[in-house]
Amino acid sequence: MIKMRKFLTISLLVVFGYLAKAQQPNDCVNAITVCSNGTFTSNATGIGNLQEVSGCGGLEHNSIWLKINIASSGTLGFHIKPLDPSILVDYDFWVYGPNRSCSNLGSPIRCATTNPNLAGQTSNHTGMYASTTATQVGPGANGDGYVRWLNVTAGQSYYIAIDRPVGDGGFELEWIGTATFPGAPLANAIGERRTCSNTPNVGLFDLNSYRSLINPDLTNNTVTFHTTLADAVDGVSPLPNIISNSSNPQQIFARVTDNVTKCHSIVDLSLRVYPIPTATITASTATACLGEQVSFTINGTPNAIIDFTVNSGPTRTVTLSASGVHTFSETYTGPITCSLVEGRIVDSNNVVVCSQLLTSQATVGPTVITADITTADTSICVGSSLTIDVQGTPGTVVTYTDPAGVQQTVNLDTAGNGTITLPTGTPVGTYTYTLVKVATTGTPPCEQNVTDSVTITVRPIPTATIHPVDTQVCLGNPSRVRITGEAGASVDYTLDGVAQAPITIPASGEYFILEVLATAGMHDYDLVRVTSGTAPFCTQPQTGRVTIEVTDAPTATISTPTPVICENGTGTVTVTGTLNAQVTYT
């Protein structure tokens, strides 16, 4: 697409493809009227219908004809500068006038047909200026390509034929001197003309509505529209008032012609068909932290004007770019809802071409971060360590208070796991760890207060002691042994090296083993271990011994050799039995 620009008669372009049409500027009768000072660029080719030039030993090969009308008297000259700087490129020209007709041109009053290469010139420029008195130069090596400029008078007209015998590219025509040409009519650049359509890329345009925008004086000027610049330059093939575009966008050209002087100006404009405007809005994130910048992007019909609101606030208006995008940011201070309201297409005068209500929304809520202690309240035995598990949002930092009330932190890994360690050697007691908050590591951080806690009880290792009650018993009589220790603890012991059923110490803290030992002799009660009666069932080996002696029951017999004696006589009674046994008799 050619950028929007204004073509005055001081800057014209004739393309190759047009030259097959009628009114090509290769003949005098079709000369292009130059209506102001400036530059002229041409890509015309061929000699036209007639071989019209003579003088300076040259002929038409590749010509373009200009007509100039003098508005104010003075000197008139020009520089012809081929766009191709090669010294082999050779441009010639002839000037006819003043006030000659194409049917009676006569001899040229100025001409130059010098070949710059043969003449040993440093450039291939040619023209008329004040620095020479020659009126004709050429052909071949003759001259330097320049002739004396003209003294012209207001009201005169001149024809100039420019030929390109070697090289067929464009050239710049730079006017010099003090004379001026009539002014060209105004041709305002009106920018892109827009319409909307439900048919993709195809719409209707009312060209008549643009005329007064391009030139407000439609009494003294005529505005026509043309598909190509070549048609506009030559004023042929005007478009009708109502057209359908042939491409999207489509560049066309408006020609403003002065009804009296026939001077004209050309400006291009672009016709673009837009769909009924649509748009959607998206947020860069679904959640955000306080103070965080959140980006919102509206995507829709290029160049559409979009109305939207933020949290039901006042309506804001933006214009989408040529690619249909607009991005803006909001600081997160709480939940944000951005709602599209309407989309519309307007022309360069801000007049609405078409519009449509929109319903798209984008919502951003708070970033939810969590942290919990997954270890339940528990007890451990003194001398043990414990790992407290913390789980939450991955990559966050959790602040907690330790049992002393001092705040500490633990980092959660990419899986959201972290640990707090209760070290070995923690004394017997109750210890509580309480979570305070969890925070992200970004800037600004997200923070969330949390209150989860866990209580760890460090239990002592239980003990047990064995005490003798009876150290000696008779065979057949029960013996007693006392065991003291932590209430509820389980005590393992042996009797004469044989494991016995464990006993449980009652709430009183002492337990009596009462049993009849089956055999006489020395019997040993030995402690093995003691285990607490509640979780975590702390246990430790225990030593201690009680020895009980079991003896046989004593015996005794009584006999006499004199079972009968006289009154006041004496007799003998003999008692025999267990040594040292005490015998009671009557």
Side-chain angles (χ1 to χ4, degrees):
M1 173 179 172
I2 299 175
K3 293 183 178 179
M4 185 66 69
R5 63 190 184 276
K6 183 175 181 180
F7 291 88
L8 297 175
T9 52
I10 61 173
S11 179
L12 303 175
L13 176 66
V14 181
V15 295
F16 289 114
Y18 172 73
L19 297 179
K21 296 182 180 180
Q23 298 185 351
Q24 56 182 322
N26 303 70
D27 291 311
C28 177
V29 292
N30 297 321
I32 298 172
T33 300
V34 177
C35 297
S36 63
N37 291 320
T39 58
F40 181 90
T41 303
S42 173
N43 286 321
T45 185
I47 67 170
N49 295 320
L50 298 173
Q51 177 66 252
E52 298 173 276
V53 303
S54 63
C56 295
L59 298 172
E60 285 183 86
H61 302 84
N62 220 14
S63 60
I64 179 76
W65 282 79
L66 305 180
K67 182 179 181 180
I68 55 176
N69 296 303
I70 306 303
S72 63
S73 303
T75 55
L76 178 66
F78 53 78
H79 296 291
I80 297 175
K81 302 175 181 180
L83 298 182
D84 184 348
S86 172
I87 200 66
L88 298 178
V89 173
D90 180 15
Y91 280 33
D92 300 334
F93 70 88
W94 298 261
V95 179
Y96 296 90
N99 302 328
R100 304 301 294 240
S101 65
C102 289
S103 60
N104 186 25
L105 289 172
S107 299
I109 57 176
R110 297 287 189 274
C111 60
T113 58
T114 301
N115 184 296
N117 182 46
L118 298 178
Q121 299 298 307
T122 59
S123 77
N124 58 11
H125 296 179
T126 186
M128 302 191 310
Y129 59 9
S131 299
T132 181
T133 59
T135 60
Q136 297 186 6
V137 292
N142 181 33
D144 62 0
Y146 276 85
V147 295
R148 180 75 177 176
W149 63 11
L150 296 172
N151 291 313
V152 296
T153 302
Q156 292 178 337
S157 63
Y158 295 85
Y159 286 102
I160 303 172
I162 300 172
D163 190 54
R164 295 160 290 171
V166 180
D168 57 2
F171 61 89
E172 178 184 352
L173 180 57
E174 178 185 356
W175 299 102
I176 58 175
T178 60
T180 63
F181 307 143
L186 176 68
N188 290 318
I190 62 172
E192 183 178 86
R193 300 290 93 188
R194 300 172 178 176
T195 190
C196 295
S197 174
N198 288 320
T199 302
N201 298 313
V202 178
L204 294 178
F205 294 87
D206 181 3
L207 302 184
N208 186 54
S209 65
Y210 308 152
R211 284 188 166 91
S212 60
L213 301 176
I214 294 171
N215 187 294
D217 184 4
L218 298 181
T219 300
N220 296 306
N221 300 289
T222 299
V223 179
T224 56
F225 297 92
H226 305 267
T227 303
T228 67
L229 180 56
D231 287 349
V233 169
D234 295 298
V236 298
S237 302
L239 293 169
N241 285 339
I242 303 297
I243 69 167
S244 176
N245 60 302
S246 58
S247 63
N248 193 32
Q250 179 181 356
Q251 183 191 38
I252 64 172
F253 299 85
R255 173 185 172 121
V256 181
T257 304
D258 187 298
N259 295 336
V260 176
T261 68
K262 303 305 179 182
C263 292
H264 66 272
S265 298
I266 297 175
V267 66
D268 72 338
L269 61 151
S270 179
L271 306 180
R272 183 184 289 269
V273 179
Y274 286 85
I276 303 301
T278 61
T280 59
I281 187 168
T282 57
S284 58
T285 179
T287 61
C289 305
L290 292 177
E292 184 178 349
Q293 291 292 308
V294 180
S295 177
F296 292 87
T297 300
I298 302 174
N299 288 278
T301 303
N303 300 315
I305 295 175
I306 304 298
D307 292 336
F308 68 96
T309 61
V310 178
N311 287 345
S312 300
T315 299
R316 304 184 193 180
T317 300
V318 297
T319 300
L320 302 187
S321 68
S323 59
V325 178
H326 177 79
T327 300
F328 63 97
S329 295
E330 295 289 326
T331 301
Y332 187 84
T333 58
I336 302 173
T337 297
C338 292
S339 303
L340 301 188
V341 178
E342 183 184 76
R344 58 188 176 274
I345 299 296
V346 300
D347 62 17
S348 59
N349 295 317
N350 207 35
V351 175
V352 175
V353 177
C354 60
S355 64
Q356 177 171 246
L357 296 179
L358 303 173
T359 59
S360 179
Q361 288 186 334
T363 299
V364 179
T367 296
V368 178
I369 54 175
T370 61
D372 297 290
I373 295 174
T374 56
T375 300
D377 292 348
T378 190
S379 299
I380 63 172
C381 302
V382 69
S384 302
S385 64
L386 177 69
T387 296
I388 300 169
D389 293 323
V390 180
Q391 291 184 341
T393 302
T396 56
V397 178
V398 180
T399 301
Y400 66 94
T401 55
D402 64 16
V406 178
Q407 286 196 349
Q408 310 284 353
T409 59
V410 58
N411 295 326
L412 302 188
D413 60 21
T414 54
N417 297 317
T419 57
I420 302 169
T421 300
L422 186 74
T424 302
T426 301
V428 172
T430 299
Y431 302 90
T432 299
Y433 294 82
T434 302
L435 301 188
V436 176
K437 66 180 179 180
V438 56
T440 62
T441 57
T443 303
C446 287
E447 292 188 351
Q448 178 67 48
N449 293 332
V450 289
T451 58
D452 201 16
S453 64
V454 65
T455 298
I456 307 300
T457 301
V458 179
R459 298 181 58 83
I461 302 297
T463 60
T465 306
I466 191 167
H467 310 273
V469 176
D470 299 314
T471 59
Q472 186 178 48
V473 296
C474 294
L475 184 67
N477 292 332
S479 63
R480 295 173 297 168
V481 175
R482 184 167 68 97
I483 297 177
T484 60
E486 179 181 302
S490 175
V491 179
D492 293 305
Y493 70 96
T494 62
L495 173 61
D496 296 332
V498 178
Q500 304 297 304
I503 60 97
T504 299
I505 298 176
S508 63
E510 62 180 4
Y511 181 92
F512 288 92
I513 300 174
L514 182 64
E515 63 180 322
V516 175
L517 299 175
T519 61
M522 306 300 292
H523 296 276
D524 296 324
Y525 288 87
D526 290 291
L527 297 182
V528 177
R529 73 178 57 81
V530 60
T531 302
S532 60
T534 58
F537 304 107
C538 303
T539 186
Q540 68 172 338
Q542 203 77 102
T543 60
R545 170 177 288 184
V546 167
T547 300
I548 296 179
E549 179 181 8
V550 177
T551 61
D552 291 328
T555 60
T557 60
I558 186 170
S559 62
T560 177
T562 55
V564 178
I565 60 171
C566 296
E567 184 178 4
N568 297 322
T570 58
T572 299
V573 177
T574 301
V575 178
T576 60
T578 302
L579 181 65
N580 297 323
Q582 184 178 28
V583 180
T584 301
Y585 63 92
T586 58

